[in-house]
Amino acid sequence: MNEIKVTLPDGSQRPLPAGSSIFDLAASIGAGLAKAAIAGKIDGNLVDLNTTLADGAKVEIITEKSPEALEIIRHSTSHLMAQAVKALFPQAKVTIGPAIETGFYYDFDVDHPFTPEDLEKIEAKMRELAKADLKIERSELSSAEAVELFKKMGEDYKVELIEDLGADQVSLYTQGDFADLCRGPHLPKTSFCKAFKLTSIAGAYWRGDEKRAMLQRVYGTAFADKKELEAYLERIEEAKKRDHRKLGKELDLFSFNDEVGAGLVIWHPKGAMLRTILEDFERKEHLKRGYDIVLGPQILKTELWQRSGHYENYRENMYFTTVDEQGYGVKPMNCLAHMMIYRSQLRSYRDLPLRYFELGTVHRHERAGVLHGLLRVRGFTQDDAHILCTPDQLDAEIKGVIQFVTEVMGIFGFEFEMELSTRPEKSIGSDDAWELATSALLNALKDSGRPYEINEGDGAFYGPKIDIKLRDALDRRWQCATIQCDFTLPERFDLTYVDADGEKKRPVMVHRVILGAIERFIGVLIEHFAGNFPTWLAPVQATVLTVTDNQIPYAQAAFDKLRAAGVRVQKDFRNEKLGFKIREAQLQKIPYMLVVGDKEVEGGLLAPRFRDGKNLDAMTPEQFIAFIENEVKTYK
Ligand SMILES: [Zn+2]
Ligand SMILES: [Zn+2]
């Protein structure tokens, strides 16, 4: 056969000379496409650009713009890094080097830990090798041959990998004098690695096993072009500046202390104030929407946790204690007390829906390795509520929760995305119950007019749920709100109501949080606002600054007035230069500095200045109080 026909993604057919590669196909379509092509897909499988096409193949050309491109670019850049390391440190042994979500890494066995200077050298070598425009070529050989080859090279880790793989054949990718065991695909030439940066070094055990060799892991990132790389690096820099652990210390909001325990937050005055503001806001918003505030105990009898199933399924994450020979579990969730309130009376359909809200403090044993500032802690407070309603009411209740989330996130300035997780293979509850709950969640999603995704089969075994991920100022996603339907707890605790027909029926139970854990939400808020909290949230809203000691009596009187009116105000009457005091207040990110000089004393005024340096018109203390009250009321 001298000619083959291949099918393109749009369904059209294209004749090509036999023996043509994907690159030849791209070139036959246009010179621009040939230049942009980096790999291909044959019958849905990613392959190298120089792969020969068979007659009848379904082909797609992968360019730098394709969604699949980034992983190929990053994986090829990790090979480029390994080649550079071998060139600079011939004794280094290579192991594995995959692409990851933020870029790539490669683990090396070296006799000394890499230094930042080494990183620079490696990166320079990578540029040199990229410029050399080396061909990246695939070859296949038997496992025995491959073992032989890597043994000769002294690459023991590769030998182990091939032996463990147990395949007859393996593939090898070679560029210049560097060869790596790899499935591929890869870029056609090293010059296609155009935009990369090595970012950090870490220790990592071979195969994650702490009994085996400690390796040096070099992390890097790569993109299709320099502009994307730069934008990414800028975002990383900005995220570092906004890190809530760093700002938490600088703004004196909270701390952790080994003497107290890992993952347990200590709130300092300003952090505790911020928390209180959020909690007051939550109480008000819940009361407005027909929730009742309730409060359960911190420890509950072990038997109760057995009945709820937590003991069976969640014991490892719980703390237990014994009092008067009775076992108790510290609550990891707030549901049980809420059900006890429900059960404390005979309920009629006329009583429903009931919405119990609790700022519930829970403790969960998270592994030490996953603890991370305020984002992952062992003790935290959820804005938790349980809705108990009739099946008929579920639709409206779920809609109400999504509306609630929408309004609250709007106040904080967050966009968000929603995901519905449906019935998994293993589940409890009747088909009817699943159908009812899933359609209520789905209806509410449709009704919201916002985009959503469906994760088929990803729900909990006891009911479907909606996860809400908010998007912060740096376009990062944070899981906060969830809406979870539950068929097991009403069963286990035999919750009932008397329906209009006089029959006893099961209510539907919904667990839901809006902000989620307050700790985590504050961590997100700190990074979202970079510590520049809006006036309504700022733990300190204003600071009174004197120019000289002459103004102290007047400034003190103004300070007293503001504080009495509920403005969160502090003062700085030290005998320091005004510029110095302003800079300090700016570092504390206090929204308003109220400067008092002789002129202000004479006119009975304050001269407010915003933290970004903008001056406002001078005003009386009473006017300033009204101004702050208005900002608070309008969530400015
Ligand atoms: Zn590879
Ligand atoms: Zn719950």
Side-chain angles (χ1 to χ4, degrees):
M1 201 175 3
N2 296 325
E3 201 183 79
I4 56 165
K5 268 206 188 96
V6 296
T7 309
L8 299 178
D10 64 0
S12 67
Q13 296 220 320
R14 209 170 168 88
L16 288 166
S20 293
S21 67
I22 298 173
F23 176 79
D24 298 327
L25 167 66
S28 82
I29 297 171
L33 187 57
K35 207 166 159 237
I38 62 162
K41 247 186 192 173
I42 298 181
D43 301 328
N45 299 316
L46 277 174
V47 292
D48 295 319
L49 192 61
N50 62 7
T51 307
T52 308
L53 291 165
D55 189 40
K58 276 203 195 105
V59 196
E60 193 183 323
I61 295 163
I62 304 291
T63 71
E64 289 173 349
K65 300 267 180 302
S66 310
E68 296 89 344
L70 201 56
E71 198 180 331
I72 298 172
I73 291 168
R74 288 172 169 180
H75 190 159
S76 295
T77 312
S78 96
H79 277 219
L80 187 70
M81 174 166 75
Q83 185 183 11
V85 167
K86 289 292 289 185
L88 292 168
F89 309 94
Q91 282 83 26
K93 288 180 182 169
V94 293
T95 66
I96 53 158
I100 53 173
E101 210 189 318
T102 53
F104 61 86
Y105 69 80
Y106 209 115
D107 287 348
F108 304 97
D109 188 349
V110 278
D111 51 11
H112 76 285
F114 285 133
T115 61
E117 291 73 43
D118 290 335
L119 230 54
E120 274 174 39
K121 268 189 238 156
I122 297 167
E123 208 180 286
K125 192 69 179 175
M126 287 168 72
R127 281 185 219 297
E128 194 186 307
L129 293 167
K131 221 168 154 197
D133 201 14
L134 304 168
K135 259 204 179 127
I136 303 175
E137 287 173 303
R138 180 190 176 96
S139 56
E140 295 200 4
L141 62 176
S142 72
S143 278
E145 286 172 307
V147 165
E148 196 61 25
L149 179 74
F150 282 109
K151 262 190 186 155
K152 223 164 46 196
M153 294 195 284
E155 299 288 8
D156 315 334
Y157 296 95
K158 291 288 173 190
V159 173
E160 187 182 327
L161 286 173
I162 300 165
E163 284 172 344
D164 280 6
L165 212 57
D168 299 337
Q169 285 265 0
V170 294
S171 52
L172 205 68
Y173 277 83
T174 309
Q175 53 197 66
D177 55 2
F178 175 75
D180 203 348
L181 172 78
C182 189
R183 221 172 301 146
H186 278 286
L187 297 169
K189 289 188 283 187
T190 55
S191 61
F192 280 71
C193 297
K194 286 183 288 202
F196 53 81
K197 173 100 193 136
L198 301 186
T199 49
S200 62
I201 317 160
Y205 291 107
W206 169 233
R207 302 198 138 173
D209 182 348
E210 57 201 78
K211 291 190 201 79
R212 306 206 57 184
M214 171 63 106
L215 307 171
Q216 286 285 297
R217 175 169 296 179
V218 181
Y219 284 101
T221 193
F223 286 88
D225 63 49
K226 291 225 165 75
K227 233 167 76 193
E228 279 175 63
L229 173 67
E230 235 112 80
Y232 172 79
L233 293 174
E234 259 168 47
R235 263 205 321 278
I236 297 288
E237 266 318 296
E238 187 56 37
K240 266 190 216 158
K241 270 190 246 160
R242 290 170 179 237
D243 189 316
H244 73 279
R245 294 166 298 181
K246 177 173 164 280
L247 284 172
K249 199 177 285 171
E250 286 169 12
L251 302 179
D252 195 19
L253 300 174
F254 62 86
S255 63
F256 293 91
N257 189 324
D258 268 347
E259 290 175 71
V260 173
L264 301 169
V265 191
I266 304 163
W267 293 100
H268 296 206
K270 285 198 265 179
M273 178 50 81
L274 178 55
R275 220 189 123 118
T276 305
I277 296 160
L278 278 176
E279 289 178 350
D280 289 348
F281 168 75
E282 293 254 40
R283 287 192 191 95
K284 196 176 82 192
E285 294 299 317
H286 279 84
L287 288 173
K288 260 173 30 187
R289 290 172 177 81
Y291 286 80
D292 294 314
I293 294 177
V294 299
L295 200 54
Q298 220 44 55
I299 58 173
L300 295 85
K301 281 186 180 173
T302 306
E303 288 78 7
L304 207 62
W305 296 113
Q306 282 163 342
R307 181 161 183 191
S308 69
H310 286 93
Y311 192 82
E312 196 188 324
N313 301 308
Y314 203 71
R315 194 172 51 227
E316 281 71 37
N317 298 76
M318 289 178 63
Y319 301 93
F320 290 93
T321 184
T322 305
V323 183
D324 294 341
E325 286 160 57
Q326 168 66 52
Y328 287 86
V330 178
K331 68 172 172 176
M333 289 161 195
N334 305 298
C335 329
L336 301 199
H338 296 194
M339 283 191 298
M340 293 300 151
I341 302 169
Y342 184 91
R343 284 204 326 183
S344 66
Q345 283 179 39
L346 188 65
R347 303 290 177 182
S348 139
Y349 71 98
R350 285 193 211 89
D351 302 329
L352 304 184
L354 284 167
R355 307 185 190 100
Y356 296 137
F357 169 65
E358 175 172 358
L359 283 162
T361 300
V362 297
H363 287 82
R364 295 181 189 172
H365 177 234
E366 299 276 4
R367 282 185 302 111
V370 302
L371 298 175
H372 179 93
L374 293 178
L375 301 178
R376 250 339 234 287
V377 289
R378 285 181 174 165
F380 54 95
T381 300
Q382 296 175 302
D383 61 340
D384 201 3
H386 295 93
I387 299 172
L388 290 140
C389 63
T390 69
D392 291 346
Q393 293 167 333
L394 189 59
D395 233 71
E397 287 306 307
I398 304 287
K399 276 182 193 157
V401 176
I402 291 184
Q403 184 60 32
F404 195 170
V405 173
T406 306
E407 287 166 18
V408 165
M409 290 310 157
I411 287 171
F412 291 102
F414 288 120
E415 284 296 328
F416 62 86
E417 291 156 11
M418 299 189 283
E419 289 171 16
L420 169 64
S421 297
T422 60
R423 188 176 193 173
E425 241 166 71
K426 265 198 194 156
S427 63
I428 65 136
S430 68
D431 291 354
D432 282 355
W434 275 92
E435 169 60 34
L436 176 93
T438 309
S439 77
L441 294 174
L442 198 60
N443 285 344
L445 287 176
K446 283 183 187 151
D447 195 63
S448 75
R450 288 169 174 271
Y452 59 87
E453 274 178 36
I454 297 182
N455 302 327
E456 289 295 349
D458 230 16
F461 72 92
Y462 52 87
K465 64 168 177 173
I466 292 174
D467 287 318
I468 295 170
K469 293 193 173 111
L470 57 86
R471 224 162 52 215
D472 75 2
L474 298 186
D475 201 32
R476 295 174 298 181
R477 310 292 190 273
W478 302 95
Q479 164 80 56
C480 287
T482 55
I483 309 169
Q484 169 85 60
C485 294
D486 188 343
F487 308 131
T488 104
L489 285 179
E491 284 289 334
R492 282 178 183 258
F493 285 84
D494 193 25
L495 304 186
T496 57
Y497 66 92
V498 179
D499 207 355
D501 57 9
E503 299 273 314
K504 268 195 174 177
K505 292 187 182 157
R506 282 256 181 272
V508 184
M509 183 170 183
V510 180
H511 314 249
R512 47 103 287 184
V513 292
I514 305 289
L515 306 184
I518 304 278
E519 284 72 7
R520 181 180 160 79
F521 192 75
I522 288 180
V524 174
L525 277 184
I526 293 171
E527 301 201 2
H528 177 63
F529 290 121
N532 292 302
F533 297 113
T535 305
W536 79 274
L537 276 176
V540 179
Q541 296 167 317
T543 179
V544 181
L545 310 178
T546 46
V547 178
T548 68
D549 287 352
N550 295 341
Q551 296 98 33
I552 290 178
Y554 171 83
Q556 180 64 48
F559 170 87
D560 291 342
K561 258 186 220 168
L562 298 186
R563 194 170 62 178
V567 176
R568 298 188 291 272
V569 64
Q570 68 178 38
K571 59 185 181 179
D572 187 351
F573 298 166
R574 288 174 303 170
N575 187 10
E576 297 282 357
K577 286 236 162 57
L578 181 64
F580 176 82
K581 294 196 222 181
I582 287 177
R583 257 193 313 282
E584 256 189 18
Q586 274 172 332
L587 283 175
Q588 284 301 302
K589 303 183 188 267
I590 299 168
Y592 295 101
M593 284 148 247
L594 304 171
V595 180
V596 180
D598 286 337
K599 213 168 77 197
E600 283 73 32
V601 175
E602 242 166 71
L605 297 168
L606 297 165
R609 172 193 166 98
F610 195 60
R611 64 187 151 207
D612 69 0
K614 204 173 72 201
N615 288 310
L616 276 63
D617 290 339
M619 50 181 96
T620 63
E622 289 72 20
Q623 282 169 325
F624 184 73
I625 290 164
F627 173 79
I628 290 289
E629 279 171 353
N630 183 56
E631 292 218 313
V632 169
K633 213 164 57 200
T634 53
Y635 300 116
K636 291 266 170 55

